[in-house]
Each structure stands twice: as structure tokens, then as C-alpha cells.
Amino acid sequence: MAFDYKKEYKEFYLPPRQPQIVEIPAMNFLAVRGQGDPNQEGGAYKASIGLLYGVAYTIKMSKLGKHKMEGYFDYVVPPLEGFWWQEEGPELDYSRKQDFQWISLIRLPEFVTEAEFAWAREEAAAKKQGDFSTVEFFTYREGLCVQCMHIGPYDSEPETIRKMDVYAREQGFEPDFSNGRYHHEIYLSDVRRCKPENWKTVVRHPVR
């Protein structure tokens, strides 16, 4: 059976609807950086998703080709994630989506080295006849965070975030968006098939 990160690491991908404090270790990701409204048709954000999945599935399906990756194991491609911020400060203003800056992410299995990533990016570009140069190998250690499962549309996240902030302070922690720490979302629902009121999103904020 294929290894499923969501099931094997439930503390990271399937948290309860009540906030909790969690320590997130270093992980490797496919990443694309950009800015602008994620809802814009034909925009950079939606293009980034196609690029990420193009490389992610090139890695996953490499088992069927001649290129063999050392240590390969069959796995379910992990969910799409995103880091979000605005230059003005850590609190996101959802009315100004055009000012969003973001890093789109998909977690990489541990066997994917930088060299294997480079092969997969080149392979995806050749097969799809596209430019995948903006996809990067990204290592990130998130560290100490407060997180919660958010149910509903993205624009209603501030209510969940307020609940997370209250809980974190009750536990003796403060938000900490310094040194490249971001508002983090992990998308567990297929928005094409699921009503917005049922969308499941892990919302995670760094604390100290």
C-alpha cells in the first residue's frame, strides 16, 4: 500500500478543530514563489499549482521509467500547501488579495535529493514542453507553531486565527512572524468537488 503522509503524520495534517501547539521538523518541498490574487484566472498562483504537480507526479511515476531513484517507495502525493504574507505586517488583509505574497508547496518524500529534483524538473519540462524553471527545491524547518483545522471558505479563516491566538497566549506563547516565518495553510479538500462551507484547511501560525 502506498505511503500516505496525511495518515502517517496525522499530527501535522489532520489536527483537531481545537487549537494545539506542535513542533514541526525540517522538511523538503517543491516550491514556487509569487505574488498576487490567488483567485485570478490565468494568474501566477494557479499556474504555480500546475508546475508543482507536474514535477510531483514526474517523481511519483518515475518508478515506471528507466530512471530509478535510490530508496524510492510508493507514496500518495502530499497535499498542496501555501505560505502567505503581506509586506505591511503579519496579519493578512483578505480584502487585499492582490497584495498577497506566497510560496506554493508540495512536500517531497525523503528519498528525493536535490539531484533527483533537478532530474525531475528537467524531465517534466521536456515531457510537457513547458518552463519549470521557477520550481525550486526548498528546505524549511517551521519549528514551534499553533495549528487548527479550519472548516469553511478561506475568507472565514480570521475567526479560526483569533481562536488560535487566544489559545497560544493561554499556553504562554506569542505569535512570531520574524525571520521568514509565515501564515501557513494545508489544503485537504478538492475545491472543484466540495462546497466552500465544507473545505478543510490546516491553518498554522509560528509562535515563540
Side-chain angles (χ1 to χ4, degrees):
M1 183 176 294
F3 187 91
D4 189 335
Y5 283 87
K6 296 192 303 298
K7 294 180 180 178
E8 298 296 330
Y9 295 100
K10 292 181 180 179
E11 67 272 30
F12 301 150
Y13 298 101
L14 296 172
R17 296 183 65 177
Q18 295 302 314
Q20 60 179 188
I21 301 296
V22 62
E23 178 79 27
I24 309 296
M27 302 177 190
N28 295 328
F29 297 89
L30 299 171
V32 176
R33 301 169 188 263
Q35 59 184 14
D37 188 342
N39 299 319
Q40 180 183 354
E41 287 300 328
Y45 178 75
K46 292 190 176 181
S48 76
I49 296 173
L51 294 172
L52 290 175
Y53 278 108
V55 178
Y57 276 96
T58 297
I59 294 168
K60 175 177 170 61
M61 302 312 295
S62 65
K63 62 182 180 180
L64 302 179
K66 295 180 180 179
H67 185 90
K68 303 300 181 184
M69 297 189 182
E70 184 177 353
Y72 180 96
F73 55 84
D74 196 19
Y75 66 100
V76 177
V77 172
L80 180 71
E81 308 185 33
F83 294 143
W84 299 87
W85 71 97
Q86 289 165 324
E87 291 296 344
E88 293 77 7
E91 187 170 341
L92 295 177
D93 183 347
Y94 288 75
S95 69
R96 295 189 296 107
K97 294 184 175 67
Q98 71 276 10
D99 296 330
F100 279 166
Q101 301 202 45
W102 42 262
I103 306 174
S104 295
L105 308 151
I106 293 179
R107 183 177 180 174
L108 286 168
E110 290 74 12
F111 63 80
V112 180
T113 63
E114 290 193 56
E116 295 292 13
F117 156 76
W119 169 84
R121 185 173 63 178
E122 291 181 7
E123 184 76 1
K127 285 188 174 181
K128 296 182 178 295
Q129 296 295 297
D131 181 5
F132 283 76
S133 62
T134 56
V135 184
E136 62 183 271
F137 184 95
F138 181 67
T139 300
Y140 190 78
R141 182 182 180 277
E142 202 162 9
L144 197 63
C145 296
V146 58
Q147 69 177 10
C148 188
M149 181 70 77
H150 173 75
I151 308 295
Y154 306 131
D155 285 354
S156 66
E157 284 181 8
E159 181 180 344
T160 295
I161 291 169
R162 283 192 291 272
K163 185 167 63 173
M164 290 164 52
D165 287 345
V166 168
Y167 175 81
R169 289 189 169 101
E170 288 176 347
Q171 302 303 310
F173 298 98
E174 290 290 333
D176 179 19
F177 291 95
S178 62
N179 301 318
R181 305 185 80 194
Y182 308 109
H183 171 94
H184 187 178
E185 299 177 357
I186 304 175
Y187 309 106
L188 302 179
S189 299
D190 185 341
V191 298
R192 299 166 300 180
R193 301 179 181 179
C194 186
K195 295 180 180 179
E197 59 265 30
N198 296 326
W199 290 352
K200 292 183 178 181
T201 308
V202 180
V203 178
R204 187 181 294 160
H205 275 187
V207 297
R208 66 177 187 273

